[in-house]
Structure formats: C-alpha cells, structure tokens
Amino acid sequence: MFELCVIGLGGALGAILRFVLGNTLTRILGGNWPYGTFVINLAGCFFMGVLMTVIVERGLLPPIWRMFLCVGLLGGFTTFSSFGFEGFMLLAEGRLLESLTYIGSSLGCGLIAVAMGILVARI
C-alpha cells in the first residue's frame, strides 16, 4: 500500500508539472505545433535515462525512489498518449509532412535523449 501511495504522489506531481510546462510552452511558442508535448516527452526520456541509471545501475538511491520518480513522477509527466493523439490529428487534418516530422523527431530525439541521460548519469 505504501508503494502505491508513493507512485500516486509522484504521478500527481508529474501531471501537474506536465500541465504547467505544457501550457507555458504553448503560450510562449504558439499552438500551431505540439511543442509542449514534444519538449515534455524529450525531457521525460532524458530524465528516465538519468534516473534509471542512477537508481538501478549505480544503486545511488533506494528502490523506492524508482517508484516515486520513474513510475510516478515521469509516468505522470510524460505525455505519450497526447503525442499519439496530436500526431494522428495532424494526419487527419491533412498535414502529412508536419505529422511525419512530429512523429519521427519525437521518436528519434526521444531515443537520443534517453542515451544522453544514461551517458550523463554515468559520468
């Protein structure tokens, strides 16, 4: 039960952070392209790489921190379901090039962000 509370608290904080950051980026950069979701997904991938390396590989934090930070916080923070919807909507609106650019750059850059997070954590 304690673990579920830890995950729930992290998820709630991650969702709030996603909402605030996503709205802020949309206000600053405009809403013609899903910049907020893109940046949030890249940041989430990067920090997942850092945290999993620090917690699992290096053992620098107790396992409960993996539940709070990775499962909860980052699980509530990243927005892959929003990514899927927004990518589909760009397609549905006939914006094929923008949709493919968004989908391809999100996936490619997300993998690069995970690798960078792992490298940073290993330094």
Side-chain angles (χ1 to χ4, degrees):
M1 186 64 170
F2 174 71
E3 293 166 341
L4 293 178
C5 291
V6 167
I7 292 168
L9 176 60
L13 293 174
I16 292 167
L17 184 58
R18 178 184 68 219
F19 176 79
V20 170
L21 182 58
N23 284 343
T24 300
L25 289 172
T26 298
R27 191 172 53 253
I28 293 169
L29 300 172
N32 291 332
W33 201 72
Y35 294 106
T37 302
F38 183 72
V39 169
I40 288 165
N41 283 338
L42 292 181
C45 288
F46 175 80
F47 287 113
M48 183 66 78
V50 168
L51 291 169
M52 289 298 285
T53 301
V54 166
I55 296 167
V56 175
E57 185 177 306
R58 293 192 165 206
L60 297 177
L61 291 173
I64 194 73
W65 283 99
R66 177 180 173 270
M67 289 179 225
F68 175 71
L69 294 170
C70 298
V71 178
L73 186 80
L74 290 179
F77 177 67
T78 57
T79 54
F80 209 72
S81 57
S82 296
F83 155 76
F85 177 78
E86 291 166 345
F88 177 81
M89 290 309 298
L90 289 170
L91 277 174
E93 293 169 2
R95 298 163 66 184
L96 178 63
L97 182 58
E98 288 174 275
S99 177
L100 293 177
T101 299
Y102 177 58
I103 292 167
S105 60
S106 291
L107 293 176
C109 292
L111 292 173
I112 291 168
V114 167
M116 289 172 53
I118 290 169
L119 289 174
V120 166
R122 288 180 177 167
I123 292 174

